[in-house]
Structure formats: C-alpha cells, structure tokens
Amino acid sequence: MAALTRRLQRPLRRAWRRGVFRLLRRLARMLADHPRTTRAVGRLFGGFNYALRPAERRRDLANLRLALPEQPAAELRAIARESLCDASAGALEFLQLVDGQISSRQFLGPVSVLGREHLEQALTRGHGVLAVGLHLGHFGKVPLWLAQAGYPVTLVIREARQVPPGYYIAALERLGIEAVRIERDQAAAPRVLDALRRGRVVMIYLDQGVKNDGGIEIEFLGKRVPMPAGPFVLARRARAPILPIFLHPAEHDVVIHPALPAPAAALREDDPTLQTLYRLAEAEIRAHPAYWQWRYRRWGRD
C-alpha cells in the first residue's frame, strides 16, 4: 500500500518541483540587476523551506546528529536552516548565470586559488585528470574557474527532471565547459573515458551517492551509503590521476590537493585512494557544515 501511495504521489511531486523551478527562474531574471536582493529573496525561500517541511527538517537534523555528534542541538538547527538559506540564494544566482543575466565574472567574484601547482603537475602526465569535488557552497564556481583559467574542463552532470531538457548543457557549453550528461538510455562511461584520453580535466562530485544497485558502500558522515565507483574505474583505465578540488565557501578559495593514484583493479572500500578522498570530504564538510546540502534527497534517505 505504501509503495502504491508513493507511485501516485510521484507525478504530483514532480509537478510541484517544476512549478517551483519556473517560479525561481522568473524571480532570478527579475532580480538580476539587484545582487543583494537576490540573496535576500533566496534566503527567504530557504527559511520557508526549513519552517514549512517538518518531516524533511527532522531528517536533516537526524543526519546532522550522525555527522556532528558533539554539536549541541541548537547549533545543529542553525546549521540545517543556514544550509537551506545559502543553497536557495546560490540557486537564484546560478540561474542568473545559466540564463545569461549575469556574467561569469559576477558569478565567480573574487576567488583565490591554493595548490594550483598540483593541477599543473597532474596535467603534465598527459592522461587527463579526474577532479573530484563537493556540493559545498557555490560548488559551480570550481568548474567555472577551471574554464575561465583556460583549462579544458568536462563536467559530468545529472540534470534534474524539473528543468527543460538540455537547459544546463547549453549553458555550460556557452561558458566553455564540456558537459557529459548522465542518462538512462545512453552510457556516460565512454564519453568520460574519451575526455580523459583527450587530456581534459573531468569534474565529478563524489558526495551525491547512487542508487542501491550501483556503486560501492562507504562509511561517510556517520552513515553507510553507496557512492559512485564508475569514475574511479575509468580513471584507472585512462591512467589518469585523481585530484581533490574543493571550494572553501566562506573564504572564496578554490583548494587543490595533491594528486592521488587511481584505485587498484579490484575496487574496495578500504582502497587507500577512496579512503583518502572520503576522509578529506568529511573534513571539508565538517569544517563548513552550513554550506553543504543536507537536504539532498538521495543522501537524506536511510
């Protein structure tokens, strides 16, 4: 009965998300000349999201208790609310960028880069680079900075169903970013492998998780969750180094860590590269918890 209820509710949820997306896109266009108002309106939406969805709020707080067990309850509530406010404001700004209402320079703002020598060194190997990032703050700034700095960047993305097909793909290409879209009817692996073999910086985000029938289970922020394995296998096939690249959102820093070797042939949870990546990711999120997307649906599920 519960499964039938979920199937009946699914089209209603999708219609609701499409309506919210259209509203946000219209708002973003109206506010494009007013950056402070854009952030204020976005934060207002995030506050409503936190206040008016109690079930999701309880789930967010349960995950935060697992990830940050030493934090008091009041601090966890503040983090959960701020995460939604910051993400909503960032979504409006990103829509302004995608729709050409603001420039790349406006979206990037003053960005400092730490560890650029690690990227330069990794590229000299001639096998491309698998760059792994996090949905932390304005995470879209990392591939955009790479493109603006002149690096050949390819972004692996999954377009949400509420957006028009190809909406983000066309915008990314306009911004100098090659896109590989994950689709049900077309394998992304050959295109990712081709990009690596062409010497490109292929950017993925390692914190989204996958469905239970794919990936490899990893201990991450107090939970065991299936995470994507395919990109790491492709990096091994292409002999491409793996480069953690994270955004420190409060400081507007792009931080590039030293390159790691691709995992061994038999991909296991205890592989040193995977463990290094996910422990780095945990440290980044715990250092900036109010900027991570705790409301992400696949992460939020038990």
Side-chain angles (χ1 to χ4, degrees):
M1 185 66 181
L4 177 61
T5 302
R6 285 195 296 271
R7 283 199 297 270
L8 292 174
Q9 291 176 341
R10 194 172 298 146
L12 295 176
R13 287 198 300 267
R14 289 176 181 168
W16 166 256
R17 292 183 190 126
R18 285 194 293 269
V20 170
F21 171 78
R22 286 193 292 267
L23 173 62
L24 289 176
R25 189 179 180 188
R26 191 171 296 117
L27 268 175
R29 287 177 173 174
M30 291 170 55
L31 299 173
D33 294 330
H34 308 282
R36 290 185 180 179
T37 306
T38 297
R39 288 206 65 80
V41 171
R43 292 183 62 83
L44 186 65
F45 265 85
F48 284 143
N49 195 354
Y50 180 79
L52 300 178
R53 302 181 71 183
E56 288 81 0
R57 182 172 68 246
R58 287 192 295 269
R59 189 179 65 191
D60 296 346
L61 292 171
N63 286 325
L64 275 161
R65 284 192 294 270
L66 286 174
L68 305 170
E70 297 180 1
Q71 292 282 1
E75 180 65 19
L76 296 182
R77 289 193 294 271
I79 289 170
R81 188 181 189 282
E82 178 60 26
S83 171
L84 287 171
C85 290
D86 184 74
S88 297
L92 285 180
E93 291 169 337
F94 187 68
L95 287 171
Q96 290 170 346
L97 172 72
V98 170
D99 278 336
Q101 302 295 311
I102 63 174
S103 67
S104 300
R105 185 182 298 274
Q106 287 174 277
F107 181 77
L108 277 174
V111 173
S112 300
V113 181
L114 307 175
R116 186 169 180 171
E117 67 275 10
H118 301 309
L119 174 58
E120 297 285 354
Q121 185 178 15
L123 285 169
T124 62
R125 303 181 191 182
H127 301 292
V129 171
L130 182 68
V132 294
L134 294 170
H135 290 85
L136 197 64
H138 258 358
F139 55 87
K141 287 186 176 183
V142 176
L144 185 58
W145 172 79
L146 287 166
Q148 293 292 300
Y151 295 103
V153 57
T154 298
L155 182 63
V156 181
I157 69 167
R158 186 190 303 275
E159 280 194 317
R161 293 180 180 177
Q162 64 263 30
V163 307
Y167 173 66
Y168 290 130
I169 302 295
L172 289 170
E173 290 176 353
R174 176 174 52 81
L175 295 167
I177 300 171
E178 180 182 79
V180 172
R181 181 169 53 188
I182 299 174
E183 302 174 87
R184 290 185 177 182
D185 58 349
Q186 186 176 3
R191 289 171 287 160
V192 172
L193 188 59
D194 174 68
L196 289 171
R197 287 175 172 167
R198 286 186 282 127
R200 300 182 66 84
V201 180
V202 177
M203 183 93 202
I204 66 165
Y205 295 95
L206 79 161
D207 55 345
Q208 276 200 338
V210 295
K211 292 184 179 179
N212 292 329
D213 57 354
I216 181 169
E217 279 210 349
I218 293 287
E219 186 76 24
F220 187 58
L221 294 175
K223 298 174 69 171
R224 290 196 63 80
V225 288
M227 291 294 188
F232 303 110
V233 175
L234 295 173
R236 185 184 69 241
R237 289 178 59 186
R239 295 184 293 162
I242 296 172
L243 205 66
I245 305 182
F246 303 133
L247 179 72
H248 285 185
E251 300 85 4
H252 304 286
D253 291 339
V254 173
V255 181
I256 306 173
H257 291 265
L260 300 167
L267 194 61
R268 297 163 52 97
E269 180 185 358
D270 60 0
D271 181 275
T273 293
L274 286 184
Q275 284 298 317
T276 298
L277 282 171
Y278 281 100
R279 301 298 76 83
L280 274 175
E282 284 182 325
E284 293 287 338
I285 293 167
R286 285 173 172 144
H288 311 277
Y291 293 96
W292 197 58
Q293 297 189 15
W294 300 93
R295 185 60 61 90
Y296 177 68
R297 288 187 301 130
R298 196 168 291 154
W299 165 255
R301 295 183 184 128
D302 294 329

